[in-house]
Amino acid sequence: VQLQASGGGLVQAGGSLRLSCAASGLIFSGYSMGWFRQAPGKEREFVAAISQSGGRQRYAHSVKGRFTISRDNAKNTVYLRMNSLKPEDTANYYCAAAPNYSDYVADWDYWGQGTLVTVSS
């Protein structure tokens, strides 16, 4: 299984980015997909998750209303649209796959390599 995250970069506060995560080696439509992030010196934390069909989404309180998770099962890809970015959103962002979504890192089976998002003030 491979999860390839991309789309990170440097953006000013208030700006937007869209992250993508392309999956291979698994039956994509059979997995919930999630995004997590890890800032320097901090633990990895849940950001957002989406169900297998895309019909249900869940967000961390800190990003709700600013971030949107979506997926395209035909392209085996999950996205994270990030608007109104803040300096505290700066982190490495990781995509993950699991049979059922959860807020807990330990519940996710497969992980991508991470893509760095830096938000300047």
Side-chain angles (χ1 to χ4, degrees):
V1 174
Q2 284 195 328
L3 302 177
Q4 183 71 39
S6 61
L10 174 63
V11 63
Q12 288 189 330
S16 299
L17 281 175
R18 189 180 79 158
L19 306 183
S20 300
C21 174
S24 60
L26 77 169
I27 301 174
F28 185 73
S29 60
Y31 283 81
S32 293
M33 299 298 296
W35 288 96
F36 290 74
R37 66 187 181 186
Q38 187 166 17
K42 295 189 176 181
E43 293 187 353
R44 193 169 295 190
E45 65 175 5
F46 171 77
V47 175
I50 189 166
S51 62
Q52 290 89 331
S53 67
R56 290 178 293 142
Q57 303 90 39
R58 182 175 175 87
Y59 297 93
H61 178 74
S62 59
V63 307
K64 204 167 188 179
R66 300 188 297 123
F67 291 11
T68 302
I69 189 170
S70 61
R71 65 188 295 162
D72 185 337
N73 285 351
K75 295 183 178 179
N76 287 6
T77 302
V78 62
Y79 305 96
L80 184 69
R81 176 68 179 182
M82 305 184 295
N83 295 329
S84 302
L85 282 161
K86 304 175 182 181
E88 50 264 43
D89 295 318
T90 295
N92 266 304
Y93 282 72
Y94 298 88
C95 58
N100 296 292
Y101 69 58
S102 163
D103 293 6
Y104 300 103
V105 170
D107 290 340
W108 293 80
D109 295 336
Y110 304 107
W111 292 87
Q113 86 289 2
T115 185
L116 180 62
V117 172
T118 304
V119 184
S120 63
S121 58

